[in-house]
Amino acid sequence: MKALVPVKRVVDYNVKVRVKSDGTGVDIANVKMSMNPFDEIAVEEAVRLKEKGIVTEIVAVSCGVSQCQETLRTAMAIGADRGILVETDAELQPLAVAKILKALVDKEQPGLVILGKQAIDDDCNQTGQMLAALADLPQATFASKVEVADGRAVVTREVDGGLETVSVALPAVLTTDLRLNEPRYVTLPNIMKAKKKPLETVKPDALGVDVGPRIKTLQVAEPAKRSAGIKVADVATLVAKLKNEAKVI
Amino acid sequence: MTALVIAEHDHGALKGATLNTVAAAAQLGEVHVLVAGANAAGAAQAAAQIAGVSKVLLADGASLAEQLAENVAAQVLAVASGYSHLLFPATAHGKNVAPRVAALLDVAQVSDITKVVSADTFERPIYAGNAIATVQSTDATKVLTVRTTGFDPAAASGGSATVETVVAVADGGTSRFVGAEIARSDRPELTAAKIIVSGGRALGSSEKFTEVLTPLADKLGAALGASRAAVDAGYAPNDWQVGQTGKIVAPQLYVACGISGAIQHLAGMKDSKVIVAINKDPEAPIFSVADFSLEADLFTVVPELTGMLP
């Protein structure tokens, strides 16, 4: 069975982003970029399924500018067998990415598509579900445990209040939650090997997908600042402040 | 313009998040509510009583008993024509279903809106809440998920909507419910609590977490929360996690004990009215958002604080 793993290049999770002063967006020039943390978990899960003999080939996919190649190389260093870059300079929204992935699912016929549950830049949490809808596949989102057997995936999902287990017929779309696994570190020999793995580049047009944005960003602003707080010396002062000033207890 | 709210419920009763979503929908026009479930007449009755709701659609069938995304999305689609807006609460359930509906309608979805600017323009946080984007949807139907802490809940009584029964969809058959482990708790629900006591890695163990924080939470009538570090270390269950990837909360009072205040944690709690931080590290970033900071060892001051409360 083939696994398709979409990965996104995003601003590194440790970077504190700044809003551009003209309100057109977030300043991402010269900041560190890396693979979306949830996507690393997705690649790791695919690699573990390959190590168990369930998955035979892992195809990593990234959509965006040419620098996304680096993200694909990282995925290949973790253990993906080959990469596909859908190259475009256009601003891609989840619906467009889902349509691109749908075209690739049609072409590659994977048994499993494993995505991160959300990207930490747009915080959308949509692409996996949209892909499942477009490809008419069942979905198991926010997965914290995956077992594949007998043409089905039994997936434990993180839901509000606890856990839920569903069984989905393959092919299916899974999205990863943080607790699914701990991604491995890439080693230098694997980084070198990853450079030799095949990386194919296609354009959205070649896949017949219109990537035009449906949502216009009118403005990006800083969130309201909290006014500076005070340091209290001891617990008695804290209790007094909470009672008399803030009136919250 | 009519907006359809997809209710979150346990078949017998509505979940609180539905009320906040109705409040957001009320800013857009007439509000209808869809209750898709099995033996869900109780939830439909509750929905009919929400102030501002003019019609409740009840789809009652076995296919909807487990709230599987495939079936619920098909049900929403079956009734979606004629609505200008489809709104879901931005809970695990809403996030699971809404994008599926949007893709089937071939429209973009706007996630986690915190403000309705106009019928097609909304505010939403991006980059873990470090920026607020104002976005305009160009699609005919707007599919939205609503950040519940961004809207005050609609009144649960005072309405008198009619309940109309619609045909429930057939089971899609590709997905099956196996089981659930839902944690039972007598405490207020984390996302709806007025006061939250939250602990981080500094608690050191699951026993200490319970021993130190539970008495304080009991005294305050508070819900318990945790940072990702505490959850990953096994000190607290997963569904207590507050942050970008956990729950987004905005209580009246948030007490952060032994939490450093990483960007991802702040994303989940920085809209709280009053934040108290207890940490022995004077450089902890949590102090930059706290209204009241106490630089001390939590193992000493939390019991002391508990003792001083009435």
Side-chain angles (χ1 to χ4, degrees):
Chain A
M1 177 168 68
K2 196 188 280 184
L4 191 72
V5 186
V7 293
K8 185 176 186 183
R9 175 178 180 263
V10 298
V11 172
D12 189 84
Y13 72 98
N14 275 318
V15 173
K16 177 126 175 46
V17 295
R18 288 190 193 286
V19 173
K20 287 190 208 163
S21 53
D22 63 358
T24 54
V26 165
D27 192 1
I28 56 166
N30 305 318
V31 301
K32 187 184 174 203
M33 306 291 279
S34 49
M35 190 192 297
N36 181 42
F38 291 99
D39 301 349
E40 281 187 58
I41 296 171
V43 179
E44 173 67 33
E45 193 63 20
V47 174
R48 290 186 189 192
L49 288 169
K50 191 178 173 193
E51 286 165 352
K52 284 184 198 159
I54 294 163
V55 164
T56 48
E57 188 189 24
I58 302 168
V59 185
V61 185
S62 195
C63 308
V65 294
S66 59
Q67 288 91 326
C68 294
Q69 283 185 18
E70 295 160 20
T71 314
L72 286 170
R73 292 290 173 202
T74 307
M76 289 190 267
I78 300 173
D81 296 290
R82 61 187 168 94
I84 302 174
L85 170 63
V86 182
E87 193 178 346
T88 168
D89 290 332
E91 180 209 341
L92 291 176
Q93 292 174 351
L95 185 63
V97 175
K99 287 179 177 178
I100 291 171
L101 295 175
K102 154 79 165 76
L104 291 174
V105 165
D106 288 346
K107 193 169 144 215
E108 300 278 346
Q109 296 289 321
L112 269 176
V113 186
I114 312 178
L115 305 88
K117 83 163 175 182
Q118 78 189 59
I120 59 164
D121 52 359
D122 61 21
D123 281 333
C124 275
N125 194 334
Q126 301 174 4
T127 308
Q129 295 91 315
M130 287 182 154
L131 169 63
L134 296 174
D136 196 20
L137 297 175
Q139 69 186 46
T141 51
F142 324 143
S144 61
K145 192 174 167 206
V146 175
E147 282 172 51
V148 180
D150 305 327
R152 297 188 81 89
V154 177
V155 180
T156 303
R157 307 177 52 232
E158 305 244 340
V159 295
D160 298 331
L163 300 170
E164 176 184 293
T165 306
V166 294
S167 164
V168 290
L170 299 181
V173 176
L174 313 184
T175 75
T176 64
D177 212 320
L178 278 172
R179 268 162 287 279
L180 181 58
N181 60 46
E182 184 113 351
R184 67 194 67 187
Y185 285 104
V186 294
T187 59
L188 190 59
N190 284 341
I191 293 173
M192 301 312 288
K193 275 185 221 154
K195 289 186 179 165
K196 298 204 174 67
K197 291 184 179 176
L199 197 161
E200 174 194 352
T201 301
V202 293
K203 299 275 179 195
D205 293 348
L207 298 168
V209 178
D210 167 23
V211 295
R214 305 291 192 81
I215 292 175
K216 272 193 277 187
T217 299
L218 303 179
Q219 198 203 349
V220 176
E222 293 262 355
K225 286 254 187 304
R226 290 189 74 93
S227 53
I230 53 166
K231 282 217 160 157
V232 292
D234 52 35
V235 176
T237 324
L238 175 63
V239 172
K241 295 266 186 207
L242 290 177
K243 264 190 190 148
N244 306 327
E245 278 181 33
K247 296 189 186 356
V248 285
I249 55 172
Chain B
M1 274 192 298
T2 310
L4 181 68
V5 170
I6 289 74
E8 183 160 347
H9 59 86
D10 63 5
H11 308 287
L14 290 177
K15 300 224 170 120
T18 308
L19 299 175
N20 306 74
T21 311
V22 167
Q27 297 182 21
L28 295 162
E30 198 182 333
V31 182
H32 292 183
V33 174
L34 169 68
V35 176
N39 301 318
Q45 280 309 322
Q49 281 157 25
I50 303 174
V53 173
S54 58
K55 186 156 97 177
V56 175
L57 303 177
L58 171 62
D60 208 309
S63 62
L64 300 165
E66 313 296 357
Q67 301 284 298
L68 293 169
E70 294 79 5
N71 294 344
V72 176
Q75 185 68 57
V76 175
L77 228 54
V79 299
S81 64
Y83 290 104
S84 58
H85 296 76
L86 303 174
L87 296 91
F88 298 75
T91 54
H93 179 248
K95 289 173 179 175
N96 192 27
V97 179
R100 204 168 166 106
V101 170
L104 293 169
L105 290 169
D106 191 25
V107 303
Q109 184 214 301
V110 185
S111 295
D112 242 345
I113 62 163
T114 49
K115 191 173 166 191
V116 173
V117 178
S118 70
D120 63 358
T121 307
F122 310 94
E123 281 186 9
R124 61 178 303 263
I126 53 174
Y127 288 92
N130 285 306
I132 307 295
T134 307
V135 297
Q136 185 176 36
S137 164
T138 56
D139 287 312
T141 308
K142 277 72 171 161
V143 178
L144 313 167
T145 62
V146 176
R147 179 170 289 196
T148 53
T149 57
F151 298 87
D152 292 329
S157 61
S160 55
T162 51
V163 178
E164 186 182 298
T165 308
V166 296
V167 181
V169 291
D171 187 3
T174 51
S175 183
R176 259 199 324 252
F177 178 79
V178 178
E181 271 175 63
I182 301 299
R184 293 255 163 260
S185 171
D186 303 331
R187 298 190 176 283
E189 202 193 335
L190 191 54
T191 49
K194 288 206 161 52
I195 301 180
I196 294 173
V197 173
S198 204
R201 201 200 315 255
L203 269 306
S205 72
S206 160
E207 293 72 34
K208 284 280 177 200
F209 196 99
T210 316
E211 185 188 314
V212 176
L213 298 187
T214 309
L216 177 59
D218 285 342
K219 274 267 173 86
L220 291 167
L224 280 166
S227 70
R228 184 185 163 197
V231 169
D232 281 352
Y235 305 165
N238 298 344
D239 58 301
W240 287 10
Q241 188 188 322
V242 171
Q244 184 183 19
T245 61
K247 304 251 166 59
I248 312 285
V249 299
Q252 295 288 306
L253 172 61
Y254 188 90
V255 186
C257 307
I259 293 176
S260 63
I263 298 172
Q264 292 79 9
H265 186 75
L266 300 184
M269 46 64 82
K270 67 180 179 182
D271 292 327
S272 306
K273 184 160 171 273
V274 174
I275 298 173
V276 170
I278 301 172
N279 204 306
K280 62 181 177 187
D281 174 11
E283 306 294 324
I286 190 81
F287 287 142
S288 67
V289 300
D291 299 280
F292 302 108
S293 307
L294 185 53
E295 191 190 314
D297 183 7
L298 70 95
F299 292 108
T300 326
V301 297
V302 172
E304 197 183 329
L305 174 58
T306 310
M308 272 194 205
L309 295 169

